Amino acid sequence: WYQRRVRGVPFLTMITVILSALLVACFNAHYHIHDWNSMKNSLPVAGSGKNESCDYAEVYSYHIHLLFWQNNANHTASAMALRDGFIEKFNLYNKNCTISRGDPAPGHEMCVFEVDFDPAGPFTTAQYAFFIPPKQLQETSAWMLQHRGIHDVFIHPNTGCSANDHTKWYSFSGAKWPIDASILRCNYPGCRPFFSDSGY
């Protein structure tokens, strides 16, 4: 029977080719499934922080910081006027942040943090910040960048991976200030620090 031909091709040769193709397909399918399972297991997931990666952490919120010279009266006055303008523009009167500064706070509404008139947390100069939900980032950051004047703006995401948030995934407009990441204690996806004076 193996001498039979199908359209000029020996039957045994045809069976061998088909079986080889099936084996290759099965091998590739197993390889891809294994690859996908490995990839899924390496993706960061918010939770306890055990065995989680900060490589591609989920973004829950943003901070817009304005940095200013605390020893210059004119610089400070201008920065405070800009803060008042932002509060008025986005109707943030009496919407002070009651969350820790390092809290990604998923679902929290936009709010205003207290002013640091001296270097505090990872910042090496005076600054203040606004907590921004992802859906409001575009309009708020555009307004701040267009109105910042002589001041420097620092925008970063909040993922729980504080070091990456402040040193890898940030954006400066104006001068780039050094950030002291050594103070940032929260470094796994979804991490929420205990409330403290610094809150980082």
Side-chain angles (χ1 to χ4, degrees):
W1 61 274
Y2 54 85
Q3 296 294 335
R4 293 178 57 191
R5 291 176 172 263
V6 178
R7 294 188 177 179
V9 179
F11 185 73
L12 185 58
T13 302
M14 185 175 68
I15 292 297
T16 302
V17 169
I18 291 172
L19 288 175
S20 298
L22 286 172
L23 286 173
V24 170
C26 289
F27 174 80
N28 286 337
H30 175 267
Y31 175 79
H32 291 314
I33 290 170
H34 175 75
D35 249 14
W36 169 242
N37 288 334
S38 297
M39 184 173 69
K40 284 195 301 181
N41 292 335
S42 68
L43 293 176
V45 180
S48 68
K50 296 180 180 178
N51 301 319
E52 293 179 354
S53 170
C54 274
D55 291 340
Y56 301 100
E58 180 179 355
V59 174
Y60 296 108
S61 59
Y62 294 85
H63 285 171
I64 296 178
H65 296 264
L66 187 118
L67 290 71
F68 60 95
W69 306 342
Q70 69 270 13
N71 297 323
N72 183 309
N74 292 333
H75 218 263
T76 299
S78 175
M80 293 303 101
L82 183 58
R83 184 174 185 265
D84 291 342
F86 189 96
I87 290 171
E88 179 180 4
K89 171 67 177 178
F90 296 102
N91 193 26
L92 295 176
Y93 296 107
N94 300 316
K95 292 185 179 178
N96 297 324
C97 295
T98 57
I99 55 175
S100 174
R101 297 185 190 213
D103 189 344
H108 198 282
E109 65 179 358
M110 184 159 35
C111 60
V112 183
F113 287 108
E114 293 295 320
V115 180
D116 288 328
F117 286 101
D118 291 298
F123 297 98
T124 53
T125 189
Q127 63 88 33
Y128 56 77
F130 302 98
F131 178 92
I132 310 294
K135 290 183 179 179
Q136 293 173 287
L137 177 65
Q138 183 176 357
E139 60 175 340
T140 53
S141 61
W143 189 94
M144 182 60 81
L145 295 177
Q146 291 174 344
H147 292 81
R148 69 178 182 85
I150 61 174
H151 301 291
D152 307 311
V153 175
F154 176 63
I155 301 173
H156 67 82
N158 298 306
T159 65
C161 301
S162 296
N164 282 0
D165 291 342
H166 289 79
T167 64
K168 289 186 177 181
W169 302 328
Y170 66 87
S171 177
F172 264 106
S173 181
K176 180 179 177 181
W177 289 80
I179 298 294
D180 179 9
S182 67
I183 199 171
L184 301 172
R185 302 186 304 276
C186 227
N187 280 303
Y188 63 82
C191 177
R192 306 177 77 169
F194 292 110
F195 191 87
S196 65
D197 289 339
S198 68
Y200 295 101

